[in-house]
Amino acid sequence: MRYHVTTFGCQMNEHDSEHMRGMLESLGYEPAPQRSDADLILFNTCSIRETADNRLIAHLGEAKRLKREDPTRVIGVGGCWAQSIKEEVFARFPFVDVAFGPGQVHRLAEFLASDSLSAQGYFEFEGFTGELPEKRSRSFQAWLQISVGCNCACSYCIVPSTRGREVSRPIADLLEQAQRMVGDGVREITLLGQNVNSYGRDLRPSRASFAQLLGELDAIDGLDRIRYTSPHPKDMREDVIRAHAELPSLCEHIHLPLQSGSSRVLRAMRRTYDRERYLDRVALIRERVPDVALTTDIIVGFPGESEAEFEDTLSLVEQVSYDGAFTFLFSPRRGTEAALATEGIVPHAEKVARLERLVELVQRCARERAQRFVGRTVEVLVEGTSRTDPDRLRGRTRHNKVINFSGLARPGELALVDVHSATSQTLAGEERLLARAG
Ligand code: 5AD
Ligand code: SF4
């Protein structure tokens, strides 16, 4: 796979693009000399100058033509301009597959490595106002691909046909690579795979399990945080849930893709679990790891999704009360079963209206859930300076919340931060200076 990135605007966008390149190369992508040679075309946008806007629109015109020639190409638009128009990106530029805000490169990685290179979706955007250069080196965070391919048959998803059966990398190779990363200064590793919790079942002569992999990674000295994405709810077993309760480096965050809250729609999606089974997994997780942060992926406007079925998704979201969610408009992908549907197609405007209702609910739940951190002291891996205030720092908590805070810690350090306030997207606080975490 080859990628091409075009960057507009400020120094910070250059940094984000650098980070994107590093992330893509660690996922096995190679740079393409020209846009027309790329499978993945990215624009890192800026909304500061109108001339840049016009230039961007001309470039997008070329991307549209390339997409028409080869619909398997993926077009992504990130950065401040994308943030300023949010989901309108898809209404105005329907050939765009993915949109994301500034600083969301991390989520782009999840998107690319998790289920789909092809879904139309946008990641929640965070508050961002200006043009602030950020000094950071992300050498302390790394991605580790543990498997490729997928044995599921989700009817909307292009992965099974494009990437084939699941192949796990041998556990010894992964441990060795993780060890090497930690030797190079990495403190946080995110494991990537289409269905991470079915990891290892295909390995011969001896199988391995995802829980076993987690346990062995946890034993690596100097690896402070382990994250992973994405698990499949059908394979979410007790051993992995127990690992969250027991392994010190495994973060208190589980991204558990839901897709729909309607059992009928889940059946049509061939997800192999229903609403009750999903809720049962959530109950088990909450029982064993009460404070865990739960996030999810949801598709709206799947063919045949009725208003009542969409409301089932809303009620499930309300019931689970996620800490955050990635929301997607259903988009038919060539070669998938769902793309063959001729009946029950949800009109684009209706899909967008449902997405807006869903996003509003997701944000309300996220805001309410985030209040539980206020008054607590949390461990933060410092990533750089705040995007809105160069005198403050920015990092991520174990629950995967972004936090802006005042303090003295440097990027790559763990700080203890007292949380003073919380919104749906970010926390704010102050570092405890006497008790540095490390
Ligand atoms: N249309 C919309 N969303 C999709 N996803 C995958 N394929 C599609 C599609 N055809 C979403 C799913 C998945 C996430 C990464 O992308 O929600 O979990
Ligand atoms: Fe696609 Fe389903 Fe496999 Fe995820 S689990 S990669 S959605 S087929």
Side-chain angles (χ1 to χ4, degrees):
M1 295 290 251
R2 302 218 276 175
Y3 72 90
H4 186 274
V5 187
T6 312
T7 311
F8 296 88
C10 67
Q11 201 47 32
M12 174 115 100
N13 265 9
E14 291 292 346
H15 276 265
D16 276 353
S17 293
E18 264 318 300
H19 190 201
M20 248 180 238
R21 289 188 190 96
M23 181 268 299
L24 290 169
E25 284 169 29
S26 75
L27 291 177
Y29 284 79
E30 285 169 20
Q34 295 176 45
R35 210 171 274 153
S36 54
D37 300 322
D39 306 289
L40 171 63
I41 300 174
L42 294 172
F43 296 94
N44 198 1
T45 65
C46 169
S47 58
I48 295 182
R49 261 175 258 106
E50 207 152 297
T51 51
D53 268 30
N54 296 338
R55 215 151 53 86
L56 169 66
I57 288 171
H59 284 282
L60 279 173
E62 191 203 337
K64 177 178 179 179
R65 184 175 55 73
L66 291 170
K67 175 94 177 179
R68 205 175 322 118
E69 279 168 17
D70 178 2
T72 63
R73 277 200 173 103
V74 173
I75 316 282
V77 181
C80 305
W81 176 81
Q83 157 153 295
S84 68
I85 69 169
K86 295 195 177 172
E87 61 266 49
E88 229 186 287
V89 171
F90 304 121
R92 288 175 52 188
F93 307 98
F95 53 91
V96 170
D97 296 289
V98 56
F100 49 97
Q104 300 287 16
V105 178
H106 187 165
R107 297 197 172 168
L108 176 68
E110 287 173 16
F111 181 83
L112 293 176
S114 72
D115 288 2
S116 169
L117 259 182
S118 57
Q120 226 181 25
Y122 84 96
F123 304 129
E124 290 188 6
F125 297 94
E126 51 183 297
F128 172 63
T129 49
E131 186 171 355
L132 308 165
E134 187 178 41
K135 292 181 225 74
R136 74 171 173 214
S137 106
R138 288 291 183 75
S139 52
F140 46 89
Q141 291 170 321
W143 290 272
L144 183 55
Q145 180 116 33
I146 65 170
S147 60
V148 289
C150 182
N151 294 350
C152 300
C154 303
S155 61
Y156 51 81
C157 180
I158 201 163
V159 168
S161 63
T162 54
R163 302 208 197 161
R165 306 279 300 168
E166 179 177 327
V167 180
S168 304
R169 293 181 54 201
I171 198 160
D173 291 6
L174 294 174
L175 294 173
E176 193 192 295
Q177 194 177 345
Q179 195 94 54
R180 200 155 5 104
M181 288 172 166
V182 171
D184 290 339
V186 167
R187 306 186 79 159
E188 176 179 283
I189 290 183
T190 304
L191 308 176
L192 299 173
Q194 256 73 49
N195 175 1
V196 288
N197 48 358
S198 68
Y199 169 81
R201 289 180 200 161
D202 57 312
L203 287 173
R204 298 291 178 274
S206 45
R207 294 181 174 212
S209 74
F210 186 55
Q212 178 190 351
L213 174 65
L214 292 173
E216 299 204 23
L217 287 168
D218 179 69
I220 296 180
D221 227 19
L223 180 56
D224 296 303
R225 291 181 168 190
I226 303 170
R227 304 185 183 280
Y228 59 83
T229 193
S230 292
H232 192 299
K234 82 175 163 59
D235 293 314
M236 198 61 182
R237 306 250 160 84
E238 217 180 335
D239 55 354
V240 173
I241 298 173
R242 201 173 337 111
H244 277 275
E246 292 173 357
L247 303 179
S249 55
L250 186 58
C251 289
E252 293 82 358
H253 169 217
I254 298 179
H255 181 73
L256 197 62
L258 167 70
Q259 314 305 359
S260 167
S262 149
S263 293
R264 196 211 53 88
V265 173
L266 287 169
R267 205 168 337 112
M269 290 177 165
R270 302 196 185 284
R271 289 291 286 173
T272 71
Y273 55 84
D274 61 9
R275 180 185 174 98
E276 281 62 43
R277 162 98 184 151
Y278 184 93
L279 285 171
D280 171 68
R281 293 293 94 184
V282 170
L284 187 65
I285 292 169
R286 289 248 164 93
E287 179 194 318
R288 300 293 162 84
V289 199
D291 184 43
V292 75
L294 278 178
T295 58
T296 198
D297 289 340
I298 298 168
I299 299 176
V300 302
F302 188 79
E305 182 189 72
S306 65
E307 167 65 24
E309 287 164 341
F310 170 65
E311 285 169 14
D312 288 342
T313 297
L314 294 180
S315 76
L316 190 147
V317 167
E318 178 100 51
Q319 189 176 340
V320 172
S321 192
Y322 290 100
D323 293 84
F326 301 153
T327 48
F328 300 90
L329 295 174
F330 169 75
S331 84
R333 309 314 313 186
R334 210 171 38 186
T336 62
E337 190 188 333
L340 301 175
T342 50
E343 282 167 28
I345 306 290
V346 181
H348 187 76
E350 177 60 26
K351 281 198 254 188
V352 172
R354 288 183 189 174
L355 188 81
E356 280 169 10
R357 287 161 69 193
L358 177 63
V359 167
E360 200 174 305
L361 174 62
V362 163
Q363 285 178 346
R364 173 163 64 73
C365 294
R367 194 164 51 240
E368 286 168 10
R369 290 277 297 161
Q371 300 314 311
R372 76 188 191 284
F373 297 115
V374 175
R376 279 167 57 174
T377 304
V378 295
E379 181 204 274
V380 175
L381 180 57
V382 183
E383 295 183 349
T385 45
S386 154
R387 287 174 176 270
T388 49
D389 178 353
D391 294 331
R392 282 160 72 79
L393 299 168
R394 175 182 194 272
R396 220 167 265 275
T397 70
R398 290 175 58 96
H399 292 82
N400 209 29
K401 280 273 166 202
V402 170
I403 180 162
N404 293 304
F405 62 103
S406 53
L408 300 173
R410 283 190 305 265
E413 286 181 339
L414 291 177
L416 287 174
V417 179
D418 293 327
V419 182
H420 294 160
S421 63
T423 67
S424 63
Q425 302 285 326
T426 52
L427 307 177
E430 196 177 328
E431 186 183 0
R432 288 221 156 165
L433 292 176
L434 291 176
R436 179 71 61 78

